[in-house]
């Protein structure tokens, strides 16, 4: 189609915030090519202007500060604070995996965790802040994604999906473009990159 830009990729990701950029890094590490489409003019989303803190259990910072923490204690705090609306399966999964899948993973990408803060609902300090808050966290993640060959297409809003035979074959962009070759492979890879724990 004349005047329409075509993008070809293994995985197309909507949104260049914390989740989108992390998914792109994981996709590239698994051998896929990923493009992230961002509605704003800059990558980073809400994460880049946030405090950047993450709930981490058993971190080196906790150990350095003499804070004894366990997944069971963190889970109890989470359930007590969140009440009946808490997704207990997700909470347990996050708590048990955040030290390695978030803290150490981000460190390997250049993030430096600098201190702990008191956070409501926690019986011990476990809210872990990166250097320069969300800006520091996202700067390293975005740089890592780009260094791995990831592309970020700014000022591009996804307005719909193109379906063929019950599979996503492309997305409609608000900026006169389309994504091709984003069908079944893309959807399978996206699910594989962000597994939901079994119930």
């Amino acid at each position: 189609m004349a005047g329409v830009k075509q993008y070809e990729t293994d995985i197309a990701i909507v949104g260049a915030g914390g989740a989108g950029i992390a998914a792109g890094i994981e996709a590239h590490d698994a051998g896929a090519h990923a493009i992230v489409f961002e509605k704003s003019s800059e990558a980073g989303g809400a994460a880049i202007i946030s405090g950047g803190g993450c709930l981490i259990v058993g971190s080196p910072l906790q150990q350095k500060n003499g804070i004894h923490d366990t997944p069971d204690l963190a889970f109890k705090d989470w359930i007590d604070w969140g009440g009946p609306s808490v997704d207990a399966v997700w909470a347990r999964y996050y708590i048990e995996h955040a030290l390695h899948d978030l803290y150490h993973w981000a460190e390997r990408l250049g993030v430096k965790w600098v201190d702990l803060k008191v956070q409501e609902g926690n019986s011990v300090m476990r809210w872990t802040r990166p250097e320069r808050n969300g800006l520091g966290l996202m700067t390293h993640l975005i740089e890592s994604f780009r260094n791995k060959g990831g592309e970020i297409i700014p000022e591009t809003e996804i307005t719909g999906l193109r379906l063929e035979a019950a599979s996503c074959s492309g997305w409609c962009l608000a900026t006169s473009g389309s994504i091709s070759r984003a069908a079944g492979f893309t959807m399978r890879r996206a699910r594989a990159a962000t597994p939901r724990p079994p119930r």
Side-chain angles (χ1 to χ4, degrees):
M1 296 187 303
V4 174
K5 183 162 184 178
Q6 295 279 332
Y7 297 96
E8 188 168 318
T9 188
D10 296 323
I11 298 180
I13 297 168
V14 180
I21 295 298
I25 291 168
E26 290 297 296
H28 277 278
D29 286 351
H33 178 261
I35 297 177
V36 178
F37 294 88
E38 172 56 46
K39 185 165 79 169
S40 299
S41 59
E42 298 290 331
I48 204 164
I49 58 171
S50 74
C54 300
L55 184 147
I56 308 290
V57 178
S59 72
L61 277 175
Q62 284 183 313
Q63 293 169 12
K64 179 181 171 185
N65 286 282
I67 298 168
H68 177 70
D69 198 6
T70 67
D72 288 338
L73 178 59
F75 183 72
K76 179 185 180 310
D77 288 350
W78 195 321
I79 297 298
D80 288 350
W81 180 256
S85 64
V86 169
D87 181 337
V89 173
W90 172 246
R92 175 63 77 174
Y93 183 88
Y94 175 88
I95 288 166
E96 291 179 354
H97 291 85
L99 177 61
H100 297 286
D101 294 350
L102 177 55
Y103 186 97
H104 292 306
W105 174 82
E107 278 189 328
R108 288 191 300 273
L109 300 176
V111 174
K112 182 177 180 187
W113 302 99
V114 293
D115 63 12
L116 300 164
K117 298 289 184 193
V118 174
Q119 182 74 14
E120 57 201 6
N122 290 289
S123 59
V124 299
M125 287 198 303
R126 63 174 70 99
W127 190 87
T128 309
R129 187 179 69 83
E131 187 174 61
R132 296 182 347 183
N133 302 316
L135 176 63
L137 177 68
M138 288 307 299
T139 297
H140 287 290
L141 267 60
I142 291 165
E143 181 178 279
S144 178
F145 175 66
R146 286 184 167 141
N147 288 344
K148 292 172 183 286
E151 296 177 67
I152 300 172
I153 311 297
E155 298 178 346
T156 305
E157 183 178 359
I158 304 299
T159 59
L161 300 176
R162 188 172 60 237
L163 299 176
E164 295 174 12
S167 287
C168 178
S169 61
W171 297 353
C172 304
L173 312 178
T175 55
S176 299
S178 68
I179 304 169
S180 62
R181 201 175 65 95
F185 177 72
T186 298
M187 301 308 286
R188 284 192 298 276
R189 290 301 283 249
R191 278 199 281 283
T194 55
R196 173 128 174 99
R199 290 203 174 261

